[in-house]
Amino acid sequence: MERPSWAPQGIDLSVPSVSRIYDYYLGGSHNFEVDREAARRAIEIMPGLPKIMQANRAFMRRAVRYAVDRGITQFLDIGSGIPTFGNVHEVAQDAGPGARVVYVDNDPVAVAHSRAVLEGNPHASVIAADLRKPRTILDSVASGGLLDPDRPVALLLVAVLHFLVDEDEPWAAVAELRDALAPGSVLVLTHASTEGGPTSSEQGERVEQVYRKASSQLIMRSRAQVERFFDGFTFADPGLVAMPDWRPDTPPEHEDPVVFTGFAGVGYKA
């Protein structure tokens, strides 16, 4: 396989990447045929996947504006993925000039492309790190100097925790990040699930099987398991809900039913 100019050296072009699969769902161009093949197989099982990803991005933008309205000007986006239109720094800096954003991802393509997109933006940066090692992320953020740990931060864990298996101790990782946040900070989170939505558990299991051959497994979790990530936070209204139901810009009943798959929520730290 010919390596395109934007692909960093050393990445395995034969293994689908969850970041590049997500990029394909959103209509991006930073993906390989191995990623597109995996995405097409997942879409065959769950045809609404691209719409679900679009709903995920729309929720993220609403949540960022909510954080700005609360006076938050610092954003830490872990598992940020490959930049597409309407990224966190664009939304935050449009809503609140001077907003500062640090992106974190463990995918070399996502990191390289983020650096290219952020060139010349003094209020945004990207770190190559893994959510499984929260202390490394916190140390890198502290040494970078862009975010002030003594002031509130919006911590974004959007469509990333479902790529950590239970053995990775994702709840402990979130708790360590939470404990480092200043009072007034918020947690913005989405997570894949088949509970309470139009997607069957059988479909969910088949999609999980597709991702077993990718760079990270996909884990569907129950509502109760997702709620555990908000331990130590107080939910902002309307709590943990389907993505279109969280402070929608337009009536959610106008949405395709498939986008009510999974959970989204925002919590604040007192």
Side-chain angles (χ1 to χ4, degrees):
M1 180 186 301
E2 184 177 351
R3 182 185 301 272
S5 59
W6 50 262
Q9 295 294 322
I11 62 173
D12 189 344
L13 304 186
S14 67
V15 177
S17 155
V18 296
S19 293
R20 299 193 306 263
I21 292 172
Y22 188 82
D23 179 66
Y24 176 78
Y25 290 146
L26 292 175
S29 59
H30 286 74
N31 48 74
F32 306 124
E33 180 55 31
V34 67
D35 308 308
R36 295 188 285 273
E37 180 182 351
R40 287 191 291 263
R41 283 166 46 218
I43 291 171
E44 284 179 7
I45 300 164
M46 197 181 296
L49 273 172
K51 289 185 177 181
I52 294 170
M53 304 310 164
Q54 291 163 13
N56 183 77
R57 297 285 295 182
F59 159 77
M60 178 273 289
R61 291 190 286 268
R62 297 195 303 276
V64 167
R65 291 194 294 268
Y66 167 82
V68 172
D69 289 344
R70 287 182 64 94
I72 293 175
T73 59
Q74 304 189 112
F75 297 81
L76 177 59
D77 184 0
I78 302 178
S80 50
I82 297 169
T84 57
F85 176 75
N87 251 31
V88 172
H89 73 281
E90 295 171 328
V91 178
Q93 291 173 356
D94 180 64
R100 297 171 179 266
V101 180
V102 174
Y103 293 111
V104 180
D105 208 281
N106 65 352
D107 185 292
V109 173
V111 173
H113 194 46
S114 296
R115 286 182 177 142
V117 168
L118 299 175
E119 187 175 359
N121 188 330
H123 291 159
S125 66
V126 61
I127 295 170
D130 196 307
L131 178 54
R132 298 170 183 85
K133 298 179 179 179
R135 176 46 51 189
T136 299
I137 294 174
L138 294 169
D139 290 345
S140 297
V141 170
S143 63
L146 193 60
L147 304 186
D148 180 352
D150 294 326
R151 293 175 50 235
V153 172
L155 170 62
L156 283 81
L157 298 174
V158 177
V160 63
L161 286 164
H162 48 232
F163 293 121
L164 272 63
V165 298
D166 289 357
E167 289 75 15
D168 292 324
E169 299 184 331
W171 293 279
V174 175
E176 185 168 353
L177 293 167
R178 176 203 64 214
D179 291 347
L181 296 176
S185 296
V186 299
L187 170 63
V188 177
L189 183 152
T190 65
H191 199 293
S193 179
T194 58
E195 183 176 329
T199 303
S200 70
S201 58
E202 189 268 340
Q203 284 176 296
E205 290 169 1
R206 290 172 62 198
V207 170
E208 286 178 338
Q209 290 174 4
V210 171
Y211 276 85
R212 284 177 191 150
K213 296 181 180 179
S215 57
S216 296
Q217 293 187 53
L218 173 66
I219 307 296
M220 304 280 182
R221 291 192 169 98
S222 68
R223 179 189 185 90
Q225 289 174 313
V226 177
E227 283 183 338
R228 282 181 57 198
F229 289 118
F230 286 91
D231 287 352
F233 294 91
T234 300
F235 275 116
D237 289 337
L240 189 65
V241 294
M243 291 178 290
D245 285 329
W246 197 90
R247 300 185 179 227
D249 294 327
T250 57
E253 59 266 24
H254 296 169
E255 299 280 359
D256 187 320
V258 74
V259 300
F260 291 84
T261 301
F263 293 111
V266 175
Y268 58 89
K269 181 177 177 180

